[in-house]
Amino acid sequence: MPQQPLVPPRLIAHRGLSARAPENTLAAVRAAHEAGCRWVELDVQLLGDGTPVIWHDRDVGRCSNGRGRLADLDLALAGRLDAGSWFDATFAGEPMATLERMLTLIDERELGLNLELKVNRGRDPLALVERALPLLLEALPAERLIVSSFDVTALAHARRQAPSERLPLGALFERVPRDWAARCDAIDAYSVHVDWRRLRASRARDIVQAGHALLCYTANDPTAFAPRWDWGVHGVISDDPTRFAAPRADHHPA
């Protein structure tokens, strides 16, 4: 596997610092930075008009004051949503973030970004890659970037757009499948991302021995997670990474 300029991040704030601010918002990324986090994980998908936005769900009901599918909104309609009050009244009026605006904030704060290409049911993975990836590659250097997805089509198309030394890709699994190595080879994957509760020690060691960074999501109990560090796990994606350590004291550079 080609050498990457990226050192695996040890602590990553899941959807921003989502334990303390509404997930996938500018406020959550600001909170992560203020708490000393060096990396954030966010989700990107498209509005109906093709605008890339930072959002996880297929619809907007859970994390805003609106209803309906993301695919049925254009930027003007999405801009009227309150994406903060559901979490706490202090975040009232928090906007849905466009990818472009989020990348500006991340670059200003000099953060690393693990961006998940979120392909919900009925959405086009190729369109997502083609709209989001150029913005991403223009905004951030490879040493501050990982693009991950559960969707193999999205990952394959992303790899066709940029080589591994420019675009570190992460294969995202709930449970690592038997053919994980072939899937990683097909996209020249930098990293493997897996649900920490479903990871086994032998599989973790195989992944690390193969030269991949191994990141676990979404762990919020440092004590329960602790044995996995001995398995060679490089990093944890957490709603509150500050529970694991003081991120700026982390021995891994950003």
Side-chain angles (χ1 to χ4, degrees), residues 24 43-47 50-56 70 75 78 96-100 115 128:
N24 275 319
D43 303 286
V44 66
Q45 52 183 314
L46 300 181
L47 296 174
T51 303
V53 292
I54 304 302
W55 203 257
H56 178 273
L70 200 69
L75 184 57
M96 178 185 290
T98 64
L99 174 61
E100 190 169 11
L115 187 67
L128 175 58

Side-chain angles (χ1 to χ4, degrees), residues 134-153:
L135 295 173
L136 190 62
L137 293 174
E138 183 178 356
L140 297 178
E143 63 267 23
R144 289 167 46 208
L145 177 63
I146 300 172
V147 170
S148 61
S149 187
F150 287 103
D151 191 281
V152 295
T153 301

